Amino acid sequence: MNLDGEDRLEIAYGVHRADLMRLLMARTGDRTEAEDLLQELWLKVQQQPGGPVENGRAYLFRMAQNLVIDRLRERRRRMERERRWSDEVTDFARAGIEPADRRKTAEDLILDREEIATLTSAITNLPEGARRVFELHKLQGLSHGEVAAHLGISKSGVEKHMAVAMKYLRRALMD
Amino acid sequence: MTARSNSEKAMLDQAVAWAAALESDDVDWDGYMAWLEADPRHRAAFDSIALVSAAVDDHRAEITSLIAAQAPSKARRRVLRLFTYAGGSIAAAIALMVGVPLLWSPQPVRSYAADAHGSRDIALANGIHVTLSPSSSITVRGKDAGQVELASGEAYFDVRHDPARSLTVTAGSYRISDIGTRFSVNFTRTAFRIGVADGTVSVSSPGSEDVQVSAGHQLLSGSDGLTLSSVASSDVGSWRQGRLSYSNTPLPLVAADISRYSGKAVQIDPSLEKTHFSGTLVIGDGSRLLADLAILMGVEVHSQENGARIGTAAPR
């Protein structure tokens, strides 16, 4: 039975509800959206299958954080689609009679591939040090400490390289 | 640097640091919230970094394999090129790479070409920079590189403004002058396109009055003459960033681009020759351009000897 675990996360939610609302407010700057996300978080908590959670507060904070980022990404993708395709619908042959979903899939595929191309070329253009640190940490999943040990540099060196890489990729994605 | 952009830079650094801190097991959530609450711009800075992270995480596998695929191919290309030099076509190779002044010509003439594997940057005299897209070539005449002819393919020009300069770029019977700007010219047997990212140019062609094309506009030739339309400046020459962007562009021109990038002949059914395409294709290694175009346009691709043909989808 994992009822026990579910209960604990639900209890943690009750205990930290105000704190979670504060995080969501700080993350979105919009009360309505924060409340909406808090509700979504509650639904997720209830669906959560796993066993007992060690640090309920940290776990819930992470879940909330991920919900915000998912939503951000969705919004950005929607804007991108609209910017690119809204007034060009007539150019897609038979767009009118094609199921909307299928067309969306093709568009998303293109946007995905474009994002991949942008990121890949930005990564390959990074300064050598930043590139190696970025690949080990973000692509191969090594922790900062492991990357530092692997390359024989300090942890703050890893952080500096990561900062260079993230800011460079940010610029590339915003272009 | 202004104080404002300094503080923006500082915020971005803090956002990167917080994003890294949030990856650890023991996060100072209270410190994080306090930082966010201190200034609404902190949120925007953090969002922009979090979006990069999320995008990389989403596509980690594809990015990893693309990077792995890129490294060796560069080395292979270099070897191939060396082989070409050694293999007998030395004169041709030197003519392509360096340019040979023709002795009987009153003016120096140089040719430059980019092969099928990549684009090529060329710095000409007088602050004229040209980027040739794959399988494209230009011929440059005059001491000050005053006449540039695009033989085929696409070239991006970045020309420092200089009122004393007289530069013309020709492509077939099209002639571009009054240049001090950034623009991209595409020319195939059947189609011509110029997109202007910055500044203005003048285009003349037989049977048509001179047309001024300014930033954010493109001039297209089609079966029904010249058409001037708007185009996002950032889409002009976007092939240099790995994308082919089209705004209401005749399909034959799109097909010619795909032929150059994929190295395969692409033909079009006569029924589609007057069709126009708008959208963006990711170049990648060129092999998926045609399939992506087919999805976006709802057309079918039939492979045939030496290439492929685009036709309308069979009725279902």
Side-chain angles (χ1 to χ4, degrees):
Chain A
M1 286 288 260
N2 57 18
L3 262 180
D4 209 6
E6 280 177 17
D7 275 348
R8 281 191 218 166
L9 197 56
E10 288 182 10
I11 290 165
Y13 177 93
V15 172
H16 300 295
R17 197 174 179 280
D19 240 10
L20 287 163
M21 185 61 192
R22 181 183 161 204
L23 173 72
L24 290 169
M25 264 306 283
R27 273 312 269 113
T28 62
D30 182 299
R31 178 157 296 278
T32 318
E33 193 179 1
E35 279 167 357
D36 192 37
L37 281 160
L38 192 64
Q39 179 63 23
E40 200 178 328
L41 179 63
W42 171 240
L43 295 174
K44 282 249 154 76
V45 165
Q46 285 177 309
Q47 291 162 6
Q48 203 70 16
V53 175
E54 206 168 295
N55 184 344
R57 181 173 184 262
Y59 193 89
L60 288 167
F61 267 61
R62 244 175 242 291
M63 281 177 76
Q65 186 76 357
N66 290 341
L67 283 181
V68 174
I69 290 162
D70 286 350
R71 215 174 254 209
L72 262 180
R73 216 155 139 55
E74 233 169 73
R75 187 173 305 153
R76 199 187 132 97
R77 179 51 65 94
R78 193 166 56 234
M79 276 164 50
E80 192 69 6
R81 260 193 238 113
E82 275 162 16
R83 187 180 72 81
R84 186 90 36 95
W85 284 297
S86 65
D87 46 19
E88 293 167 356
V89 165
T90 46
D91 289 306
F92 292 98
R94 288 181 302 283
I97 57 164
E98 213 169 7
D101 282 348
R102 221 183 105 200
R103 207 165 60 79
K104 209 165 82 185
T105 310
E107 292 174 355
D108 277 335
L109 188 90
I110 297 289
L111 289 178
D112 270 345
R113 296 211 22 234
E114 177 159 343
E115 199 167 71
I116 291 165
T118 305
L119 288 169
T120 305
S121 89
I123 292 166
T124 51
N125 283 327
L126 283 171
E128 187 59 25
R131 179 183 167 167
R132 286 171 71 191
V133 167
F134 182 88
E135 288 190 18
L136 289 170
H137 178 56
K138 283 303 272 184
L139 298 180
Q140 296 180 29
L142 268 58
S143 72
H144 279 193
E146 288 164 340
V147 174
H150 187 87
L151 296 178
I153 58 176
S154 67
K155 245 184 111 173
S156 81
V158 171
E159 278 156 18
K160 281 192 190 117
H161 282 312
M162 274 306 292
V164 169
M166 292 303 282
K167 286 191 285 187
Y168 188 82
L169 263 60
R170 169 183 175 274
R171 190 126 285 282
L173 272 188
M174 290 172 102
D175 82 333
Chain B
M1 196 182 274
T2 63
R4 184 180 156 78
S5 71
N6 255 331
S7 80
E8 270 168 16
K9 189 179 168 296
M11 283 181 202
L12 216 49
D13 283 331
Q14 290 162 11
V16 172
W18 272 115
L22 295 190
E23 289 173 13
S24 76
D25 290 330
D26 114 67
V27 178
D28 175 13
W29 289 103
D30 292 310
Y32 172 60
M33 288 193 286
W35 175 74
L36 283 174
E37 286 161 353
D39 188 325
R41 287 176 296 171
H42 290 173
R43 177 171 64 243
F46 185 86
D47 279 352
S48 68
I49 294 295
L51 276 170
V52 174
S53 252
V56 173
D57 291 345
D58 274 6
H59 305 306
R60 185 183 289 133
E62 295 95 325
I63 292 170
T64 308
S65 61
L66 268 179
I67 287 177
Q70 271 182 5
S73 80
K74 263 186 195 155
R76 200 164 54 232
R77 205 172 296 153
R78 219 166 287 134
V79 173
L80 264 179
R81 208 168 271 160
L82 280 173
F83 183 76
T84 316
Y85 278 104
S89 54
I90 292 172
I94 291 176
L96 286 180
M97 303 302 289
V98 186
V100 176
L102 299 181
L103 295 175
W104 58 87
S105 166
Q107 296 174 322
V109 178
R110 279 165 189 258
S111 293
Y112 301 85
D115 63 21
H117 299 293
S119 56
R120 179 168 174 213
D121 286 320
I122 300 152
L124 300 175
N126 265 345
I128 304 170
H129 286 267
V130 184
T131 307
L132 279 180
S133 86
S135 302
S136 302
S137 61
I138 54 169
T139 303
V140 181
R141 289 189 172 78
K143 192 158 78 321
D144 299 325
Q147 293 167 40
V148 179
E149 185 187 346
L150 174 64
S152 68
E154 179 148 19
Y156 183 91
F157 292 83
D158 186 339
V159 183
R160 199 181 54 215
H161 183 67
D162 175 0
R165 170 210 325 277
S166 72
L167 167 67
T168 55
V169 176
T170 53
S173 55
Y174 299 94
R175 187 183 155 88
I176 304 155
S177 53
D178 294 341
I179 294 163
T181 178
R182 292 180 292 136
F183 60 98
S184 196
V185 188
N186 190 320
F187 178 63
T188 72
R189 260 182 319 112
T190 52
F192 167 83
R193 175 182 72 180
I194 178 169
V196 179
D198 194 18
T200 308
V201 301
S202 171
V203 180
S204 63
S205 63
S208 163
E209 284 178 19
D210 288 8
V211 185
Q212 301 288 322
V213 187
S214 58
H217 291 85
Q218 62 178 1
L219 186 69
L220 289 159
S221 80
S223 44
D224 44 358
L226 290 172
T227 325
L228 188 65
S229 57
S230 64
V231 63
S233 293
S234 59
D235 283 348
V236 173
S238 63
W239 46 269
R240 295 171 308 141
Q241 285 92 39
R243 297 180 275 133
L244 296 174
S245 298
Y246 301 98
S247 177
N248 209 9
T249 305
L251 195 54
L253 192 145
V254 180
D257 278 351
I258 294 179
S259 295
R260 283 192 297 112
Y261 281 97
S262 65
K264 283 183 187 166
V266 178
Q267 293 187 338
I268 306 170
D269 262 7
S271 62
L272 287 174
E273 258 169 13
K274 292 190 174 173
T275 318
H276 288 214
F277 172 68
S278 294
T280 298
L281 302 171
V282 177
I283 296 168
D285 66 357
S287 65
R288 290 174 64 174
L289 285 167
L290 194 54
D292 285 346
L293 177 73
I295 291 173
L296 284 174
M297 292 193 73
V299 295
E300 280 194 350
V301 176
H302 311 277
S303 35
Q304 58 185 30
E305 214 180 328
N306 302 327
R309 188 170 52 84
I310 309 175
T312 43
R316 288 164 207 275

